[in-house]
Amino acid sequence: MKIICIGRNYPEHAEELGNEKPESPVIFIKPDTAKLQSRSPFYIPPFSNEIHHEVEVLVKIRRIGKYIEEKFAHKYYQEIGLGIDFTARDLQQNLKDKGLPWEKAKAFDGSALIGNWFDKDNFTDFKKLDFKLNKNGTIVQKGNTSQMLWSIDTLIAEVSRFFTLKIGDIIFTGTPSGVAPVVENDILVGYLGEEKAFKVNIK
Ligand code: MG
């Protein structure tokens, strides 16, 4: 199982980090060891002083595919979810400045929080779905899937040009604005529509 992440898929988030809006989706991968076990706390790793939360809508792939046409992409997923792409922003900035790959900042153990899964048909319209992240009782990030620069179906078509998608692969579809550091004892709760998708304690 692999985790495919999309960067800069919401215009306001690209702006807040001073990034240009890309001409095509930014894609990177986290290994299966990045998955944070459910109900496990997130432990701030010793190599970073600035771990950011990035709340993102997730898509679970349910059939194998390569060169998937956008018009058929909807057949490749039934469940969507919500998670966090934990990012060592200090390390990432350092790597970006040097033009180096981001893996150490993005793909470390525990960096992919994967919440509960929901049938996409349970939502009135999952392509216009609100989601939010609550930190210690305050909403710190909120978005709507309609704000994506590239829709889920477009992303599946684009990603599968480069990487064969396999059953159980997960796509992180990018974060809206509001990314910020986490500190010890923070409690993060994510909601997809009205559904509670995860709760995680920062240690
Ligand atoms: Mg992200």
Side-chain angles (χ1 to χ4, degrees), residues 36-199:
L36 184 66
Q37 298 301 326
S38 61
R39 296 196 183 83
S40 167
F42 174 85
Y43 291 93
I44 294 174
F47 51 76
S48 175
N49 293 313
E50 193 185 10
I51 296 287
H52 277 195
H53 54 72
E54 295 190 355
V55 71
E56 311 201 0
V57 172
L58 313 183
V59 179
K60 189 194 281 183
I61 298 300
R62 66 167 183 165
R63 54 195 283 190
I64 192 165
K66 174 78 174 168
Y67 297 121
I68 298 164
E69 287 184 58
E70 186 172 337
K71 65 182 175 188
F72 298 126
H74 66 276
K75 297 172 184 276
Y76 287 78
Y77 63 103
Q78 188 62 35
E79 290 179 294
I80 60 173
L82 195 73
I84 297 181
D85 166 20
F86 282 110
T87 302
R89 191 71 69 204
D90 46 357
L91 199 49
Q92 186 198 27
Q93 192 57 51
N94 196 289
L95 294 165
K96 281 165 75 175
D97 290 346
K98 293 177 180 163
L100 293 170
W102 298 351
E103 271 80 355
K104 288 194 284 186
K106 281 284 197 183
F108 56 87
D109 288 0
S111 62
L113 168 66
I114 295 162
N116 300 328
W117 294 104
F118 305 94
D119 191 310
K120 65 185 181 185
D121 294 336
N122 286 355
F123 300 103
T124 311
D125 185 354
F126 73 94
K127 294 178 179 175
K128 290 181 190 151
L129 184 60
D130 285 322
F131 59 98
K132 63 189 177 192
L133 181 68
N134 183 308
K135 180 164 80 174
N136 308 328
T138 305
I139 295 168
V140 288
Q141 283 194 272
K142 59 181 186 342
N144 185 287
T145 53
S146 65
Q147 298 163 338
M148 291 183 187
L149 290 172
W150 291 281
S151 70
I152 291 172
D153 291 1
T154 308
L155 291 174
I156 286 174
E158 177 70 9
V159 166
S160 71
R161 292 174 56 214
F162 300 91
F163 307 105
T164 297
L165 291 174
K166 297 175 78 174
I167 295 167
D169 285 351
I170 295 170
I171 301 178
F172 275 61
T173 59
T175 194
S177 59
V179 301
V182 295
V183 296
E184 207 177 321
N185 298 323
D186 279 348
I187 297 174
L188 304 176
V189 185
Y191 295 89
L192 185 59
E194 301 299 316
E195 306 283 350
K196 185 174 168 181
F198 62 79
K199 177 182 178 187

